[in-house]
């Protein structure tokens, strides 16, 4: 395990819906670090096998070799001594241990760049993203283009019928949508109102 300590570590989070360019941006930051002669290592959850089990791949087909992980703590044992940048794609699929792991790495001087979905297909914060966004030094919330109206899209619409919480898929299963065109079949389930909010909402429906 690399136990790098010198310098200032940091955590950058790139988030947004599917097709917003998160993987493209992650690959760009890794490429720039490599130009600066900084060794980068790229990781991803092993659950994300959509295109390739050992690469991160963008929708535009840019790609980078990546080490698949079953658990966030496995990162420690994969690190080389001279690694300075740790990049993690599809970070939403890890459990909350990832927050502790990347915080540890940043405190040890590593520059950590995480990319992932901030919201799931229901419009609900995705897994560890709230924790990661809170401890990040820098957050890039980026947008796709709404497939219905061309506006900035911040949501991922599932367009196939499935009750699965995680459904790996591409354009056949998901579309980028703006807030106005995002539809979820049960708004109440999306972000449930408690009694107090419900009473105020009904009193002031706008
Ligand atoms: P992400 O990792 O956020 O899913 P990628 O970096 O893999 O995104 O891919 C971004 C690319 O997806 C864009 O450069 C564009 O060519 C393509 N793309 C396909 N559909 C859309 C869309 N609705 N809005 C924006 N880009 C899209
Ligand atoms: Mg991606």
């Amino acid at each position: 395990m690399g136990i790098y300590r010198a310098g200032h570590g940091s955590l950058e989070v790139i988030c947004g819906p599917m097709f917003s360019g998160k993987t493209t941006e992650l690959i760009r930051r890794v490429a720039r670090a490599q130009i600066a002669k900084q060794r980068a290592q790229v990781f991803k959850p092993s659950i994300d096998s959509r295109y390739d089990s050992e690469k991160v791949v963008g929708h535009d087909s840019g790609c980078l070799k990546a080490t698949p992980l079953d658990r966030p703590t496995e990162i420690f044992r994969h690190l080389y001594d001279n690694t300075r940048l740790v990049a993690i794609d599809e970070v939403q699929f890890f459990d909350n241990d990832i927050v502790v792991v990347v915080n540890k790495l940043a405190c040890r001087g590593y520059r950590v760049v995480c990319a992932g979905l901030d919201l799931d297909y229901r419009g609900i914060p995705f897994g560890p993203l709230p924790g990661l966004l809170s401890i990040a030094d820098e957050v890039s919330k980026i947008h796709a283009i709404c497939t219905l109206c061309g506006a900035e899209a911040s949501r991922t619409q599932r367009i196939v019928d499935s009750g699965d919480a995680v459904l790996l898929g591409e354009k056949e299963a998901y579309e980028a949508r703006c807030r106005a065109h995002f539809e979820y079949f049960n708004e109440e389930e999306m972000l449930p109102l408690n009694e107090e909010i419900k009473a105020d909402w009904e009193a002031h429906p706008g």
Side-chain angles (χ1 to χ4, degrees), residues 17-25 57-60 144-145 147 171 176:
M18 281 180 73
F19 312 106
S20 60
K22 301 180 298 299
T23 299
T24 306
E25 178 60 20
V57 184
H59 300 293
D60 291 339
I145 303 296
T147 50
K171 285 195 169 155

Side-chain angles (χ1 to χ4, degrees), residues 30-95:
V30 168
R32 286 171 60 85
Q34 286 168 338
I35 292 169
K37 307 259 187 300
Q38 290 161 359
R39 181 164 197 168
Q41 281 184 261
V42 185
F43 299 95
K44 64 174 206 166
S46 47
I47 182 181
D48 179 43
S49 55
R50 281 174 306 169
Y51 303 96
D52 190 300
S53 62
E54 300 204 344
K55 286 187 185 128
V56 297
V57 184
H59 300 293
D60 291 339
S61 79
C63 70
L64 213 54
K65 198 173 167 321
T67 305
L69 305 171
D70 291 325
R71 296 190 43 74
T73 47
E74 290 172 18
I75 289 180
F76 299 137
R77 79 170 100 104
H78 286 290
L79 287 178
Y80 297 114
D81 283 344
N82 57 350
T83 294
R84 295 293 175 267
L85 171 62
V86 174
I88 309 167
D89 199 16
E90 303 291 354
V91 73
Q92 75 277 357
F93 290 136
F94 286 118
D95 63 21

